[in-house]
Each structure stands twice: as structure tokens, then as C-alpha cells.
Amino acid sequence: MITASGIGLDPHISPAAAYIQLERVAKARMIDESKIKTLIDQATTINPIGPDVVNVLELNAALEQLH
């Protein structure tokens, strides 16, 4: 679910792709889904000329800080 860029691969996925994985990640990490949804929203960049993206590296770092 990583998107391609002009220079290779960016560590980004769509918000929809992140939400698809939300339940699985919550169960695996034993974290409330609402907390993960908040982190997804915080890691989402709103792009006025293209699709919105979630920075996976930023999201994973935030998830690690919850433990």
C-alpha cells in the first residue's frame, strides 16, 4: 500500500488504506481503535492538488510512543 513517487517510493499510504488496517493494528498492539484513528488523522497530510496521504514512518513512530 505504499505510493510511488517521482524518485522512487514514499513512505505514504492513503487515509483509506490506513483505516482498512486500523482494526488489525489495534488488536496486534492492544490499543484502542480510537487512539489509532487519532494518530492516523494527525499523520495525514491534506494535499490541495492531489490525494491526501498518511506518512507511515510518522504514524509508526507515534504508535511506538504509546507503549
Side-chain angles (χ1 to χ4, degrees):
M1 290 190 202
I2 296 175
T3 59
S5 71
I7 60 170
L9 294 176
D10 288 330
H12 295 48
I13 59 174
S14 70
Y19 292 130
I20 287 170
Q21 300 177 67
L22 192 151
E23 183 179 350
R24 180 183 58 80
V25 172
K27 285 181 182 178
R29 291 181 176 260
M30 294 183 279
I31 300 171
D32 186 76
E33 288 185 26
S34 66
K35 288 182 181 180
I36 296 175
K37 182 184 181 314
T38 297
L39 294 177
I40 291 170
D41 293 343
Q42 291 171 348
T44 299
T45 300
I46 307 302
N47 188 347
I49 60 170
D52 296 346
V53 293
V54 177
N55 184 314
V56 175
L57 296 176
E58 181 182 321
L59 178 57
N60 284 338
L63 285 167
E64 287 300 316
Q65 289 182 5
L66 290 179
H67 288 281

